[in-house]
Amino acid sequence: MEEKPKYGEPKKFDPDFKGPIHNRGCTDIICCIFFIVAIVGYVAVGILAWTHGDPRKVIYPTDSLGQLLFKPLLFYFNMMKCASPMVLLEFQCPTPQVCVEKCPDRTLTLVTAIAKPEDWKYYKSYCREDPGNKPMTEILQKKLCPAYLISSKPFLQRCFPSLGKKVLKHACCNEIYHLYGRQVAMKIFEDYTKSWYWILICLLIAVVLSLIFIVLLRYLAGIMVWVMILMVIAVVACGIAYSSIKYVNLKDTAGSNITLQQLGFQPDFSVYLHIRQTWLAFIIILAILEVIIIIILIFLRNRIRIAVELMKEASRAVGYVMSSLFYPIFTFFLLTIVIAYWGITAVFLSTSSEPVYKVFNETDCPHGRQTCEPENFTISAMKTDCPRSECLFAFYGGETPYHKYLIFFQFYNVFLFFWCANFVTALGQMTLAGAFASYYWAPNKPNDMPAYPLCASLGRSLRYHTGSLAFGSLILAIVQIIRVLLEYIDHKLKAENKFAKFLLCCLKCCFWCLEKFIKFINRNAYIMVAIYGKNFCRSARDAFFLLMRNVIRVVVLDKVTDFILFLGKLLIVGLVGIFAFFFFSGQTDAFKDAAPSLHYYWVPILTVLVGSYLIAHGFFSVYAMCVDTLFLCFCEDLERNDGSAARPYHMTTELRYILMKDADAAQTPTSRDETMQLTPPDKTMEN
């Protein structure tokens, strides 16, 4: 009895097989139905959030009644109450607060203000309501107006007394830290409103650069690969040189020799650029990166030459399917919709709570921090038991069924975001795989190819394989949400136990590896689904077995190509990032007048860097998917055919010679003898 091969039977010759199968049926129907139901539920959650939410709660502060601050500043009746430990629990000062147009510019007491009509009219603008002709004792008892006004200055949209401002800021540090974080967020938001136009221009430059590189790769693949490698080395070297010049120039500058540890965290990153240690860190980091790249290139120099030939073949495929170069724009558009929907829904969900009021008292009170109603608090038993207590806004919450399940809606929003984003990415991979597979298996290119291979592949993917796309995306989304939960648990527990830290670290590492493995399996499974039209599990198994039967080629070729494409992304990010740095930082006289005035110029720079990488990744992913598809097709071609007249190879002679020569050292003696019989390729024999 013959032993069954460990990684399945090699593919058999099929004279009727000519690429992606057209007569196919729907796959993974149950998962498709489940995905549609989940999308409908996602829309329902969005409608609920948009009905109950109010994003203004994130932007504007609130007064002591929980009302939004539409006037520019918030005034505290007694700022010293903010030093209470209660602020740590509620993030709310136990003193009345009102919205005002401007901070007090004079010091007055209630007693002196009532005596002068002019002062009294000014004083009443800082009261919770018009006291009318009420006596002073009643005004103070009901806390309709502050007992005194102190000349103040605006700080973090709050009025802080001018005298002893530093002391008050120190005493109220708990509140200040909370407010300061909100203020930094608002400054970042303002920077985006001022610089969004220039950010879009920088991202447009990244798009143009990516298109130029992709088009040049189409016609000059061999030259462009080496140009990209040399330019990456040159850009990193320029970064080292510039950092060295700045490091030397700051030598005699006052205050430039303090350490980063002494400086501490500063939201204004421009402060760090005046410190020599910052530039020294840049020099070290860039030098290490340069050395790593050079060492990798030295060890992979022979593999890179082989990978260049694979890139040339990919360029030919892209040349026959030119529309594939613009497909990432469609993917980017769909991902933008997914991200925007998730972000807007998250904001509305987080602001859909109702104001919760609690009892605040200066002395011990049995009702302290209990929930109360401000409308009838003055006649309630709580007020009777604690005469000096107040019912003030504490935070946003709620007791309705909607608010009880709010955390579930947030979780559902995050999970569906991962699922939908992975689905869009998977759709792009399967569509490109189907188009490039139709190129590879066409006996006579381009006559035997579909008229519109990309559109035909997209139609097949959506019509027959939505379930398979949803299935693969679901598996990946589950792993990703587990990683998010592990990060959340790690952040909340802040475990001091070393074993607990070690366990969490191991779990996070394992799930990170699992996510990478699933992405690899999914990618190749989608290629097999695009070609054969089988369900996800069957395709994943076939792809894995095929790769394991050609594991040497996978390691030495596929991954080297990925490294070359990564250098291309790095080059585009570096070029756009350098331009963004000199533009937004104002370090060049040519851009000083055009650059917007910003609080933190690192905000648009980081946005441009991340956006440029995503754009470059989107465009270079076309080549990456093309290489992966051609590689799998090549492996199947070797199993199906033998190069004879009856069973000819579909690959070009040059590609066959290079790939089989590269794997010669890993083959059996019989296979090696067959390979040695191959002659160098004749350019005229290519398809």
Side-chain angles (χ1 to χ4, degrees):
M1 183 177 181
E2 293 185 6
E3 185 179 353
K4 191 175 181 180
K6 184 177 180 181
Y7 296 113
E9 293 284 350
K11 295 290 183 179
K12 302 298 182 182
F13 173 70
D14 182 2
D16 297 325
F17 180 74
K18 295 182 180 180
I21 296 172
H22 295 282
N23 296 325
R24 56 179 73 197
C26 295
T27 56
D28 301 299
I29 298 175
I30 295 177
C31 198
C32 178
I33 296 172
F34 185 47
F35 181 65
I36 293 173
V37 171
I39 292 295
V40 172
Y42 198 19
V43 173
V45 169
I47 294 173
L48 275 175
W50 301 336
T51 304
H52 293 82
D54 187 358
R56 295 175 300 176
K57 296 175 184 176
V58 177
I59 302 173
Y60 301 105
T62 54
D63 61 14
S64 54
L65 296 177
Q67 298 172 342
L68 293 175
L69 173 58
F70 294 110
K71 293 182 180 179
L73 299 165
L74 189 66
F75 172 72
Y76 296 87
F77 276 25
N78 186 355
M79 175 59 73
M80 293 305 296
K81 295 286 185 67
C82 295
S84 167
M86 211 174 296
V87 174
L88 281 174
L89 300 173
E90 310 292 354
F91 284 116
Q92 182 75 6
C93 289
T95 184
Q97 304 146 42
V98 293
C99 307
V100 295
E101 293 289 346
K102 63 178 183 177
C103 295
D105 56 5
R106 66 189 80 169
T107 300
L108 293 171
T109 64
L110 182 61
V111 177
T112 57
I114 289 179
K116 296 181 180 180
E118 219 175 274
D119 289 343
W120 181 230
K121 182 180 179 181
Y122 174 81
Y123 200 95
K124 285 193 293 184
S125 63
Y126 297 94
C127 295
R128 297 166 70 177
E129 59 182 68
D130 189 353
N133 297 320
K134 293 184 177 66
M136 185 175 61
T137 53
E138 185 179 349
I139 293 173
L140 291 174
Q141 185 179 7
K142 293 183 177 180
K143 296 188 177 181
L144 301 178
C145 299
Y148 53 84
L149 294 179
I150 298 178
S151 180
S152 306
K153 297 290 184 183
F155 179 71
L156 303 179
Q157 285 189 287
R158 272 77 175 171
C159 294
F160 285 89
S162 302
L163 298 176
K165 184 176 177 180
K166 291 184 179 179
V167 176
L168 280 170
K169 285 164 64 176
H170 177 72
C172 310
C173 60
N174 298 323
E175 175 77 1
I176 291 297
Y177 288 149
H178 175 63
L179 302 180
Y180 186 68
R182 176 180 282 183
Q183 187 71 6
V184 169
M186 292 187 67
K187 285 184 177 180
I188 291 174
F189 180 76
E190 289 177 11
D191 285 345
Y192 275 123
T193 59
K194 292 179 181 178
S195 61
W196 68 269
Y197 178 78
W198 297 105
I199 291 174
L200 288 180
I201 290 178
C202 290
L203 295 180
L204 183 61
I205 292 174
V207 171
V208 173
L209 282 177
S210 299
L211 278 173
I212 290 173
F213 273 90
I214 290 295
V215 172
L216 289 176
L217 273 176
R218 162 66 186 93
Y219 297 103
L220 303 168
I223 297 174
M224 283 304 300
V225 167
W226 290 109
V227 167
M228 283 193 300
I229 292 172
L230 293 176
M231 286 188 69
V232 168
I233 296 174
V235 168
V236 177
C238 289
I240 295 172
Y242 181 80
S243 301
S244 301
I245 293 171
K246 296 294 289 186
Y247 178 77
V248 173
N249 291 342
L250 289 172
K251 182 178 180 181
D252 300 323
T253 305
S256 63
N257 289 317
I258 66 171
T259 64
L260 294 174
Q261 186 176 4
Q262 291 172 333
L263 182 62
F265 174 75
Q266 300 292 331
D268 185 3
F269 282 14
S270 62
V271 176
Y272 295 104
L273 300 182
H274 300 285
I275 308 300
R276 296 187 76 206
Q277 198 177 79
T278 302
W279 295 105
L280 179 62
F282 286 157
I283 293 171
I284 295 172
I285 293 170
L286 291 175
I288 293 173
L289 179 62
E290 185 87 323
V291 170
I292 291 173
I293 292 175
I294 292 174
I295 290 175
I296 291 175
L297 291 174
I298 291 173
F299 281 97
L300 296 179
R301 62 188 183 278
N302 293 325
R303 301 300 179 193
I304 289 174
R305 284 199 292 265
I306 298 169
V308 167
E309 296 301 329
L310 194 57
M311 291 290 293
K312 288 181 180 179
E313 184 66 20
S315 297
R316 296 187 190 99
V318 171
Y320 284 114
V321 193
M322 286 295 289
S323 56
S324 62
L325 293 177
F326 302 96
Y327 187 84
I329 298 175
F330 178 66
T331 300
F332 180 75
F333 173 72
L334 293 180
L335 283 175
T336 301
I337 294 175
V338 172
I339 294 171
Y341 186 88
W342 164 77
I344 294 171
T345 304
V347 170
F348 274 86
L349 283 173
S350 61
T351 58
S352 59
S353 302
E354 298 173 349
V356 174
Y357 302 89
K358 291 196 174 185
V359 176
F360 290 86
N361 198 60
E362 298 177 10
T363 58
D364 290 337
C365 175
H367 306 292
R369 293 200 297 278
Q370 290 184 6
T371 305
C372 59
E373 294 291 338
E375 292 81 6
N376 56 7
F377 181 72
T378 54
I379 58 174
S380 66
M382 295 180 180
K383 185 68 174 177
T384 305
D385 297 339
C386 306
R388 301 187 65 181
S389 64
E390 292 182 88
C391 183
L392 301 178
F393 167 75
F395 55 85
Y396 286 104
E399 299 296 331
T400 65
Y402 169 78
H403 294 101
K404 289 180 180 178
Y405 291 103
L406 199 57
I407 186 67
F408 168 76
F409 293 147
Q410 287 282 23
F411 176 83
Y412 189 77
N413 184 37
V414 173
F415 180 73
L416 262 292
F417 163 71
F418 283 130
W419 196 358
C420 293
N422 292 330
F423 180 88
V424 171
T425 304
L427 176 63
Q429 292 174 346
M430 186 179 292
T431 300
L432 292 172
F436 293 130
S438 65
Y439 155 82
Y440 185 92
W441 295 108
N444 184 18
K445 305 175 181 63
N447 296 332
D448 292 336
M449 291 175 59
Y452 302 100
L454 192 70
C455 294
S457 180
L458 177 62
R460 287 195 302 269
S461 300
L462 290 174
R463 181 179 178 183
Y464 298 109
H465 307 303
T466 299
S468 297
L469 293 169
F471 192 9
S473 305
L474 175 63
I475 296 172
L476 187 56
I478 291 173
V479 175
Q480 289 171 334
I481 202 69
I482 291 174
R483 288 190 64 201
V484 170
L485 291 175
L486 287 174
E487 292 290 346
Y488 177 78
I489 292 170
D490 189 22
H491 175 72
K492 284 295 182 181
L493 291 182
K494 295 179 181 177
E496 297 294 334
N497 186 286
K498 290 185 178 180
F499 176 76
K501 283 185 176 180
F502 173 76
L503 184 61
L504 275 174
C505 185
C506 289
L507 285 173
K508 288 192 287 185
C509 181
C510 290
F511 277 97
W512 179 84
C513 295
L514 180 60
E515 180 182 352
K516 295 298 180 184
F517 177 73
I518 290 175
K519 283 183 177 179
F520 175 77
I521 292 297
N522 283 6
R523 186 182 182 90
N524 290 284
Y526 297 143
I527 295 173
M528 300 302 279
V529 172
I531 297 174
Y532 295 105
K534 298 176 182 177
N535 63 49
F536 177 81
C537 293
R538 176 73 180 274
S539 299
R541 188 196 66 178
D542 291 345
F544 180 73
F545 284 175
L546 180 62
L547 292 172
M548 291 305 296
R549 293 196 296 268
N550 297 270
V551 66
I552 301 298
R553 293 190 177 99
V554 174
V555 175
V556 300
L557 288 178
D558 202 34
K559 297 302 126 186
V560 175
T561 309
D562 289 343
F563 174 70
I564 293 175
L565 293 175
F566 172 74
L567 289 182
K569 300 173 196 175
L570 205 62
L571 176 61
I572 291 174
V573 172
L575 293 175
V576 178
I578 289 172
F579 172 78
F581 172 76
F582 284 108
F583 180 81
F584 289 110
S585 65
Q587 304 242 346
T588 306
D589 294 335
F591 299 135
K592 277 188 177 179
D593 296 332
S597 177
L598 304 172
H599 298 291
Y600 313 121
Y601 68 78
W602 53 265
V603 170
I605 292 176
L606 287 180
T607 305
V608 168
L609 288 175
V610 174
S612 299
Y613 179 81
L614 294 176
I615 289 170
H617 176 74
F619 282 100
F620 279 89
S621 65
V622 174
Y623 265 82
M625 199 66 207
C626 183
V627 169
D628 289 346
T629 304
L630 295 181
F631 185 78
L632 275 183
C633 292
F634 164 79
C635 294
E636 282 219 0
D637 198 4
L638 286 179
E639 293 183 352
R640 285 179 177 275
N641 305 303
D642 58 9
S644 63
R647 296 167 58 184
Y649 288 122
H650 287 77
M651 71 191 83
T652 61
T653 308
E654 186 176 20
L655 181 64
R656 180 173 74 251
Y657 175 76
I658 291 167
L659 294 182
M660 294 184 69
K661 179 181 177 182
D662 180 71
D664 182 54
Q667 291 177 347
T668 62
T670 304
S671 299
R672 189 181 297 116
D673 292 339
E674 293 175 0
T675 304
M676 292 300 292
Q677 295 174 6
L678 288 170
T679 57
D682 182 358
K683 299 276 185 182
T684 61
M685 293 176 63
E686 291 184 6
N687 289 325

